[in-house]
Amino acid sequence: MKSHLSELTGMEIFLKKDFLQYTGSFKERGASYALLMLPEEQKRKGVISASLGNHALALCYHGKRLNIPVTVVMPIVAPIMKIQSCQQLGANVVVQGHDMGEAKQIAMRLSKERGLVYINGYDHPHIMAGQGTLGLEVVEQVANIDAIIVPVGGGGLIAGVALAIKTLHPNVKVIGVESERCASFTAAIKAGKPVPVPIQSTLADGLAVPMVGYNAFITAAPLIDKLVVVKEEWIAMAILRLVELEKCVVEGAGASGLAAILAGHLDEFKGKRVVIPLCGGNIDTTILGRCLERGLAVDGRLLKFTVTVSDRPGGIAELTKLLSSMGVSIKDIIHERAWITSDIFSVQVKVVCETRDVKHGKQLMKALSENYTNVHFDENVFYGEIPSPLNENGNGVSAGKH
């Protein structure tokens, strides 16, 4: 579908909304195909896999649909909601292992003991082939594509999509996007082979794979035209933009393609026709709330500052009156006397407030600086040029500088 984000970004953007799949992600494509390709005897025995969420849900759903027994091993850190969802789909759920590495070892052992086929969530050939159907659909549904921007975790999606699109349309650029906190494909490209990388917590938890798959790497590496790494702030911003402008609730991994555009990594595609797969929507409600607040902060619409005011009656009232007169909404306010170092007749006030946009935030900074001697805003209040629905003239981009 053509996106409302087209005018905002200066590109003709089309969104492939795979987060609307029944279990909320593109993983259904690979899971369904891998199960369909099993020999009849193995269909009766069943399959096993280790997963934190999306792959497990997809495998359980299609296993039930095709009457194939499914066992999933989920680490103890897996979200309870996803564990329960897999159980409700009739799967045998084994909750063991402190992390994905341990869960995978347990699954491999059970696979041998019980005669079950282990289906890797991103490196099994049939999984990659199934994910590639997204690419087939894209070229059928959108004519004259210039580029497709694909999130990269284990590499299964970009391997399948790149192979499908490059085979049919070699001129289409395939762009891979990773989070800076789990850039395992970038590390593999530098090393010339998959290598383990340390993983930090990230908004794009679906991309947090410590080492890309060997099959995925060999398939995708020659076909990727550009690989970019995005900061967490831009992923939060992309989630916010998709909620506000597209009414799409997607997880961090699904929003990373848009994040790469908003961060300015792909400006060479201005005026071009670009496809972004929104590949997953299984975001925890509390995490979504944090992402939206983080996005508002990056957007200059949620500010935090500290100001020293007089401790006489009416001192704080004058501050709140100033904020009110400017149309600034206070979300939180706290004042403290004990730790202030200036004088005993002053009080330090910490305020978290909402502004309309970057321009409004700068007006607030200016007004506070003119009326108070000691004002301190958090560092990096404004994160560079932020593509926003309205700029100062009302039509384009709001620019906030470091």
Side-chain angles (χ1 to χ4, degrees):
M1 297 180 68
K2 188 167 181 181
S3 170
H4 296 92
L5 296 159
S6 297
E7 292 183 17
L8 171 68
T9 58
M11 304 175 192
E12 198 170 352
I13 289 181
F14 297 86
L15 301 177
K16 182 64 172 167
K17 298 184 178 181
D18 251 37
F19 70 97
L20 296 176
Q21 298 278 4
Y22 186 84
T23 62
S25 86
F26 76 95
K27 291 283 189 179
E28 286 194 30
R29 298 173 177 274
S32 177
Y33 186 64
L35 291 172
L36 286 168
M37 294 298 288
L38 289 171
E40 288 302 320
E41 183 183 349
Q42 199 60 55
K43 286 180 180 179
R44 288 190 292 273
K45 286 184 179 179
V47 299
I48 189 170
S49 189
S51 170
L52 268 170
N54 288 349
H55 175 58
L57 286 168
L59 210 55
C60 294
Y61 172 67
H62 286 285
K64 182 179 181 181
R65 183 176 67 84
L66 297 168
N67 201 28
I68 297 172
V70 173
T71 300
V72 290
V73 181
M74 306 180 82
I76 57 176
V77 295
I80 293 175
M81 185 179 73
K82 289 186 178 178
I83 293 172
Q84 291 174 338
S85 296
C86 290
Q87 290 170 335
Q88 289 169 3
L89 288 168
N92 175 26
V93 181
V94 179
V95 184
Q96 287 184 24
H98 290 90
D99 54 29
M100 267 301 295
E102 289 188 14
K104 184 174 180 180
Q105 289 177 356
I106 293 166
M108 295 293 280
R109 176 172 54 80
L110 292 175
S111 170
K112 291 179 181 177
E113 291 175 359
R114 302 178 184 179
L116 306 174
V117 168
Y118 182 85
I119 298 182
N120 186 294
Y122 50 85
D123 207 37
H124 192 288
H126 293 156
I127 289 285
M128 291 189 291
Q131 320 303 30
T133 61
L134 187 147
L136 294 178
E137 290 176 14
V138 163
V139 294
E140 287 176 0
Q141 295 165 356
V142 186
N144 303 317
I145 305 166
D146 292 299
I148 182 166
I149 306 170
V150 186
V152 181
L157 178 62
I158 197 166
V161 168
L163 185 60
I165 291 181
K166 286 286 191 180
T167 301
L168 297 171
H169 301 278
N171 58 314
V172 175
K173 301 296 182 185
V174 175
I175 314 298
V177 183
E178 294 185 291
S179 164
E180 65 173 351
R181 291 175 171 261
C182 49
S184 53
F185 209 103
T186 300
I189 292 287
K190 289 178 181 176
K193 62 180 182 179
V195 291
V197 298
I199 295 297
Q200 298 173 286
S201 59
T202 170
L203 297 177
D205 59 321
L207 305 183
V209 177
M211 188 170 78
V212 299
Y214 282 91
N215 294 326
F217 178 75
I218 291 168
T219 305
L223 303 174
I224 296 175
D225 294 288
K226 184 176 180 179
L227 193 60
V228 298
V229 177
V230 293
K231 292 181 178 292
E232 292 286 287
E233 290 83 2
W234 295 109
I235 296 175
M237 171 71 75
I239 291 172
L240 176 65
R241 289 282 183 265
L242 286 165
V243 168
E244 288 188 326
L245 300 181
E246 289 291 340
K247 307 302 179 280
C248 295
V249 177
V250 300
E251 57 190 279
S256 58
L258 176 60
I261 292 176
L262 297 180
H265 294 309
L266 301 172
D267 286 350
E268 64 267 32
F269 294 107
K270 295 279 187 184
K272 304 287 187 180
R273 292 166 67 84
V274 178
V275 174
I276 303 175
L278 303 181
C279 54
N282 290 321
I283 185 169
D284 185 80
T285 310
T286 54
I287 300 298
L288 176 61
R290 293 177 196 170
C291 287
L292 295 179
E293 288 210 330
R294 184 79 177 272
L296 288 168
V298 175
D299 207 13
R301 291 154 62 188
L302 190 64
L303 303 179
K304 184 169 72 171
F305 66 87
T306 304
V307 59
T308 302
V309 303
S310 169
D311 199 20
R312 64 177 175 78
I316 295 179
E318 289 177 3
L319 172 65
T320 57
K321 186 176 180 182
L322 172 63
L323 298 182
S324 174
S325 68
M326 297 186 67
V328 174
S329 175
I330 296 174
K331 285 202 72 177
D332 196 12
I333 185 168
I334 182 172
H335 68 285
E336 51 187 39
R337 296 181 178 86
W339 292 276
I340 194 166
T341 57
S342 54
D343 62 77
I344 60 171
F345 301 106
S346 298
V347 61
Q348 196 174 66
V349 182
K350 293 182 179 179
V351 179
V352 178
C353 61
E354 290 180 335
T355 57
R356 289 189 297 273
D357 49 29
V358 170
K359 180 184 176 184
H360 194 205
K362 288 183 174 179
Q363 290 171 348
L364 171 63
M365 294 174 73
K366 183 172 182 289
L368 288 170
S369 299
E370 289 172 351
N371 287 274
Y372 296 96
T373 305
N374 296 318
V375 183
H376 175 72
F377 276 77
D378 269 15
E379 290 184 9
N380 298 333
V381 172
F382 307 117
Y383 282 77
E385 293 202 355
I386 303 170
S388 175
L390 294 175
N391 69 3
E392 296 183 8
N393 302 315
N395 57 355
V397 173
S398 286
K401 300 298 181 185
H402 269 296

